[in-house]
Amino acid sequence: MTAEGAAVSTRTVARQCTLCEAHCGILVTVDRDRVTRIEGDPDDVLSHGYICPKATALADLHHDPDRLRRPMRRVGDGFEEIGWDEAFALAGNRLRAVRRRHGRDAIAMYLGNPAAHSSSVVYGIALRVALLTRKFYSASSIDQFPQEFAAWKMFGSNVLMPIADVDRTDRLLILGANPAVSNGSVTTMPDARGRIAAIRRRGGSVVVVDPRRTETARLADEHVAVRPGGDPYLLLGMLHTILADGTGPAAGTVPLAGTEELAELVAPCTPEAMAPRAGVDADTIVRLARDHAAARSAVAYARIGVCHQVTGTLTHWLVNTLNAVTGNLDRPGGQMYATPPIDAARLVRRLGSGHGRWRSRTGEHASFRTELPVVGLADEMLGDAADSAGPVRALVTYAGNPVLSTPQGGRLDEALDSLDFFVAVDMYLTETSRHADLILPPVSHLEREEFDFLFPVFSVRNNARFNARVFEPPPDTLEDWQILSRLTLEVLPLPLRAQLTRPLRAVFDRLGPLRLGALGVLTGPHGVLRRGRRGLTLGRIRRTRGGIDLGPLQPRLRSLVATRDGRVHVAPPEFVDETRRLLAETENDSRETEFDLRLIGRRHLRSNNSWLHNIPTMVKGRDRCTVLMHPDDAAARSLVHGQPVTVRSRIGSIVVPVEVSDEIRAGTVAIPHGWGHDEKGVGWSTAAAHPGANVNLLHDPAVTDTFTGNAAVNATMVNVTARSERSADQDVGTRVSRPVRRT
Ligand SMILES: Nc1nc2c(c(=O)[nH]1)N[C@H]1C(S)=C(S)[C@@H](COP(=O)(O)OP(=O)(O)OC[C@H]3O[C@@H](n4cnc5c(=O)[nH]c(N)nc54)[C@H](O)[C@@H]3O)O[C@H]1N2
Ligand SMILES: Nc1nc2c(c(=O)[nH]1)N[C@H]1C(S)=C(S)[C@@H](COP(=O)(O)OP(=O)(O)OC[C@H]3O[C@@H](n4cnc5c(=O)[nH]c(N)nc54)[C@H](O)[C@@H]3O)O[C@H]1N2
Ligand code: SF4
Ligand SMILES: [Mo]
């Protein structure tokens, strides 16, 4: 090709990576219809040129021949391509038939993680509303439910989850998060490594509380190898110290309610009493408390490691409370709230979070914010048809892979096969969608043009960035929002649906996510309607390369707090009662005779939950789906590094290689989730060559966060034995589950 030809055919588009919450700015260089390069955008106002290795996967995902481009209908054991109109008619007829025969709760819906990374999610919610089903599920109940519940009880709304002002803090205490790998979650911080290094450079300090010496712990001043599940005790001991020292509670922008009850609760929680439960010595507890209280600004930040515990909600309450009583709530360097271009949290904060409005069919789980915990999904489908509550007969999934990502006691495959109808909105034939009757694939991430309204709500710095399209979508393809709005029209419970479809479609087509986004920006806190001529419009954001920086986080809790009395509640009665109950329990280090190790999770820089393992650069190198074990534990079992072992829990077992390292606390083992690509009929050819094993086959769906039913996948007791002892017939990565019936 001549140089001139190259110049004509090559172009670079600035947009964001939509794979994780960081939404880093990227520059995508394209030669005709191929991506030739993806690099960090130095002009991006939030990520300043940082990207992680996953960003390049966007190109591979776009070009992946395994990615579905046409609707697929099940025929026998396989699938055939069909047209969109035919596909929507099929989905509509079948879903309506199920609803007519079995009622609206016979249709369930599951919304997965990538939905949150696209403004199409609004249309997912519209579909959920049109279905009028109480059987709604999402990845939130194997994720941040505990954090939302704590926010609801303390600040009056589940959406008011405060974030850590990492860019200005003098002291960062991280519990159960590994931002050096995850780049922050419910605190969007692209280049977390750089931001953590900056805290130390400006004279601040960073402590990581984690049973594993993680990538983040290695960047910190101190690593505290807490016992898994030990965090609430560590925090109670810290609160005891602060209140006993008289250094709290400090005054904040919003008055605190419940400080006396809190003082009474923590009075007996001396560091000495808490130390064995936390697995952290008393001196360390005292020191962590005093350093937090003494720092000019300090923030405790906790995430998924503690959400995935039976004490998930309690721990997040104690984290927020620690920040509040040390005067670090709603002040620079502490826990704060963003002021995003679309003030989504403020708009919906009074909608009501609601807990226990309805229950699961088995009665085991209560709804929270109008959904049920996903751990109950298989149970909901495998019910007895004679059951008056009736089992779920049809399912809609949108951007989720619950077969790999949720604990279901090994029963979800069977449950999905038992359905009358299952439609998956997904661009891959996955462990989940392979069970579908119909798969509706959206365009690739690079073919979307969007304005994200969700993650700016959790961003460490206020910003407005447009996400431009790299490729025009090919003819006869649809974006998620178009697919979801067509499905919505198909299931609208209207008597004149047939007649109304055409005009409603015209309305939906005109009300794309960009129109809604433009309206949100216009009326938002930085919009022209509020700020006059210098204010924002979507057009201005779109035209500004790298986005618009809207400054550091501002104190604003007073305008957000949604409790009836306008105060922040540091001692909600149900949390106090539950803490008392736990403290009264005689200490039981769960030394069950048969299962003697506690299993936790871990993430890798080149994995993204279950769905990047089909990209060769994301799976190259050594096997990453291993069980990480302390050398003492390995020696006690005569296991050597690299050896295949059987990891067994009360409900299932998998075979994986053992990885021996002293980075993990003795008595604890770690296995990453999102693996187990060995199912027949899955369309992931590269992933099939690197299957790993599905760790969620080990986690008991009955073990959940006390308040929300969030999966407590860091609380599972397992044993680990040499493979040959008990399961010589299995290959590494094989799944051997013992499905359990619990109804
Ligand atoms: N044991 C254990 N389990 C866990 C976790 C853990 O730490 N330990 N973590 C949990 C967490 S935090 C989460 S968020 C969940 C995630 O759980 P899920 O959301 O259920 O699973 P993902 O692996 O994110 O699967 C995403 C699916 O969406 C598809 N997809 C990707 N992009 C798009 C898109 O733009 N549109 C559509 N329609 N589809 C798309 C992919 O092909 C894939 O099938 O996993 C949870 N599971
Ligand atoms: N590379 C990559 N990035 C991701 C993802 C990914 O799959 N890969 N997933 C994205 C998603 S969906 C999410 S929700 C975020 C999650 O983001 P993070 O919360 O940062 O997730 P993890 O890396 O799983 O970190 C959890 C940590 O908790 C520790 N832990 C486990 N049990 C306990 C405990 O009882 N106490 C304490 N103190 N620590 C404990 C684990 O050892 C682990 O280091 O990451 C996002 N970013
Ligand atoms: S951290 Fe990596 S995966 Fe996440 S948005 Fe940035 S480049 Fe993408
Ligand atoms: Mo997540």
Side-chain angles (χ1 to χ4, degrees):
M1 192 196 296
T2 63
E4 203 178 293
V8 170
S9 62
T10 307
R11 61 197 170 90
T12 298
V13 180
R15 59 168 282 136
Q16 289 140 44
C17 170
T18 37
L19 293 176
C20 89
E21 288 172 51
H23 279 219
C24 300
I26 54 174
L27 296 174
V28 185
T29 304
V30 173
D31 187 357
R32 295 195 175 91
D33 59 352
R34 300 291 302 180
V35 176
T36 52
R37 188 188 186 126
I38 291 185
E39 57 200 329
D41 181 355
D43 295 332
D44 187 279
V45 293
L46 188 65
S47 57
H48 307 291
Y50 171 85
I51 49 168
C52 86
K54 286 190 292 301
T56 61
L58 281 171
D60 305 293
L61 287 166
H62 178 76
H63 297 300
D64 189 351
D66 290 340
R67 180 167 64 82
L68 302 176
R69 281 133 169 109
R70 311 282 309 152
M72 307 292 276
R73 170 174 59 193
R74 168 170 302 283
V75 271
D77 281 346
F79 286 90
E80 67 175 13
E81 285 188 12
I82 56 169
W84 285 104
D85 286 337
E86 200 185 344
F88 289 119
L90 174 70
N93 285 332
R94 301 284 297 274
L95 290 172
R96 291 195 304 270
V98 167
R99 189 171 57 202
R100 261 195 317 273
R101 285 191 53 191
H102 305 285
R104 56 182 204 213
D105 285 338
I107 305 176
M109 180 170 174
Y110 174 78
L111 194 141
N113 171 278
H117 296 276
S118 159
S119 40
S120 290
V121 69
V122 177
Y123 300 78
I125 294 164
L127 174 59
R128 178 255 185 286
V129 171
L131 286 169
L132 281 172
T133 176
R134 292 181 301 176
K135 304 298 159 81
F136 179 71
Y137 303 84
S138 80
S140 297
S141 59
I142 182 161
D143 194 334
Q144 82 286 359
F145 253 27
Q147 231 162 317
E148 291 194 33
F149 198 99
W152 174 41
K153 289 292 165 184
M154 297 182 75
F155 310 114
S157 169
N158 65 307
V159 296
L160 294 179
M161 290 180 283
I163 59 177
D165 186 11
V166 292
D167 286 355
R168 286 182 293 175
T169 196
D170 297 287
R171 169 100 177 154
L172 176 60
L173 176 71
I174 299 177
L175 306 100
N178 188 11
V181 163
S182 65
N183 279 299
S185 180
V186 194
T187 287
T188 298
M189 46 171 143
D191 190 21
R193 283 169 183 271
R195 292 176 195 269
I196 287 169
I199 297 174
R200 299 186 61 196
R201 258 203 316 276
R202 60 177 183 259
S205 57
V206 180
V207 179
V208 172
V209 178
D210 197 303
R212 181 164 80 85
R213 194 170 65 249
T214 59
E215 295 79 353
T216 309
R218 285 176 213 164
L219 303 173
D221 296 273
E222 183 177 356
H223 169 223
V224 178
V226 69
R227 185 173 74 81
D231 307 79
Y233 307 104
L234 167 68
L235 291 158
L236 287 166
M238 288 175 70
L239 285 164
H240 169 97
T241 307
I242 288 162
L243 297 185
D245 285 354
T247 46
T253 53
V254 174
L256 304 182
T259 48
E260 278 169 29
E261 291 85 341
L262 179 73
E264 205 180 305
L265 175 71
V266 303
C269 300
T270 60
E272 292 72 25
M274 295 300 102
R277 292 176 184 247
V280 177
D281 63 72
D283 289 348
T284 305
I285 298 178
V286 172
R287 192 166 39 76
L288 291 178
R290 292 191 174 145
D291 288 349
H292 206 87
R296 203 159 29 159
S297 67
V299 64
Y301 163 69
R303 196 51 190 100
I304 208 89
V306 295
C307 282
H308 285 163
Q309 288 289 355
V310 290
T311 51
T313 299
L314 282 189
T315 307
H316 278 287
W317 156 58
L318 292 167
V319 162
N320 296 341
T321 297
L322 173 67
N323 291 324
V325 300
T326 53
N328 284 298
L329 178 61
D330 204 32
R331 89 159 180 208
Q335 242 180 348
M336 300 194 80
Y337 294 90
T339 314
I342 300 181
D343 213 350
R346 194 175 150 80
L347 286 172
V348 303
R349 76 197 196 286
R350 297 220 186 261
L351 285 186
S353 312
H355 181 239
R357 291 214 186 109
W358 60 84
R359 300 196 78 85
S360 60
R361 195 184 56 80
T362 60
E364 196 177 346
H365 302 292
S367 66
F368 175 49
R369 57 158 231 206
T370 77
E371 64 180 271
L372 286 166
V374 70
V375 288
L377 185 59
D379 268 343
E380 213 65 50
M381 297 172 182
L382 291 173
D384 177 356
D387 185 334
S388 63
V392 160
R393 302 293 348 133
L395 175 68
V396 182
T397 59
Y398 161 35
N401 191 6
V403 168
L404 290 193
S405 56
T406 66
Q408 304 282 347
R411 302 162 69 219
L412 196 54
D413 284 302
E414 178 197 343
L416 293 174
D417 281 336
S418 75
L419 293 172
D420 293 349
F421 186 68
F422 169 17
V423 49
V425 182
D426 203 299
M427 58 265 265
Y428 280 105
L429 193 45
T430 70
E431 292 73 15
T432 300
S433 66
R434 77 185 178 99
H435 296 279
D437 297 286
L438 183 64
I439 307 177
L440 303 175
V443 299
S444 92
H445 287 218
L446 296 183
E447 288 162 347
R448 305 196 311 227
E449 141 184 273
E450 301 189 286
F451 183 68
D452 177 29
F453 65 89
L454 188 57
F455 294 109
V457 173
F458 302 112
S459 212
V460 293
R461 199 171 163 93
N462 296 319
N463 68 89
R465 301 178 298 157
F466 190 79
N467 209 352
R469 206 171 246 154
V470 176
F471 296 107
E472 281 306 311
D476 207 24
T477 56
L478 297 177
E479 295 187 38
D480 276 313
W481 70 272
Q482 294 167 310
I483 297 172
L484 295 160
S485 53
R486 289 284 295 271
L487 286 175
T488 303
L489 294 180
E490 290 291 341
V491 302
L492 270 183
L494 291 177
L496 298 173
R497 204 189 42 78
Q499 290 86 324
L500 286 175
T501 298
R502 214 174 243 278
L504 283 176
R505 228 178 112 178
V507 172
F508 261 119
D509 285 347
R510 283 194 181 83
L511 263 185
L514 279 187
R515 285 259 161 84
L516 293 181
L519 189 67
V521 172
L522 215 60
T523 55
H526 307 275
V528 285
L529 292 186
R530 296 258 189 96
R531 295 280 160 100
R533 275 202 19 241
R534 293 179 52 213
L536 291 184
T537 61
L538 189 61
R540 206 186 127 203
I541 299 169
R542 190 178 194 154
R543 287 190 300 273
T544 314
R545 237 319 272 282
I548 299 170
D549 179 49
L550 298 169
L553 306 181
Q554 299 295 334
R556 65 179 307 226
L557 182 55
R558 237 190 307 194
S559 69
L560 290 174
V561 69
T563 49
R564 280 216 188 96
D565 58 5
R567 295 167 178 229
V568 168
H569 292 231
V570 293
E574 53 273 77
F575 296 169
V576 170
D577 291 348
E578 176 61 9
T579 308
R580 289 229 165 84
R581 194 190 65 72
L582 286 175
L583 291 171
E585 271 181 4
T586 42
E587 213 213 312
N588 161 21
D589 201 14
S590 309
R591 289 250 152 70
E592 291 176 48
T593 43
E594 198 185 345
F595 304 106
D596 53 355
L597 295 165
R598 192 179 287 258
L599 172 64
I600 61 169
R602 68 178 200 270
R603 283 175 158 75
H604 190 276
L605 205 49
R606 281 184 290 124
S607 280
N608 198 28
N609 299 318
S610 74
W611 68 285
L612 287 192
H613 299 144
N614 204 46
I615 307 306
T617 51
M618 297 296 118
V619 287
K620 69 170 191 231
R622 62 182 183 85
D623 193 349
R624 301 204 307 265
C625 186
T626 62
V627 55
L628 192 66
M629 185 183 260
H630 190 272
D632 294 349
D633 291 327
R637 291 162 184 77
S638 310
L639 300 174
V640 294
H641 189 82
Q643 170 182 0
V645 293
T646 301
V647 184
R648 189 180 305 274
S649 74
R650 196 180 67 74
I651 68 154
S653 67
I654 57 174
V655 178
V656 287
V658 64
E659 187 175 339
V660 180
S661 162
D662 69 0
E663 73 182 42
I664 188 122
R665 187 185 155 102
T668 304
V669 290
I671 302 178
H673 72 286
W675 297 89
H677 308 290
D678 57 344
E679 309 261 359
K680 275 200 277 308
V682 172
W684 276 337
S685 50
T686 302
H690 305 265
N694 179 3
V695 73
N696 278 320
L697 293 172
L698 301 178
H699 298 305
D700 187 342
V703 182
T704 61
D705 169 47
T706 309
F707 289 94
T708 61
N710 199 67
V713 295
N714 284 335
T716 302
M717 299 308 295
V718 297
N719 62 34
V720 178
T721 51
R723 175 178 64 143
S724 52
E725 268 177 46
R726 297 168 92 157
S727 48
D729 53 324
Q730 296 158 26
D731 290 318
V732 175
T734 337
R735 61 190 223 123
V736 188
S737 62
R738 280 186 277 165
V740 281
R741 284 211 177 258
R742 296 181 300 110
T743 46

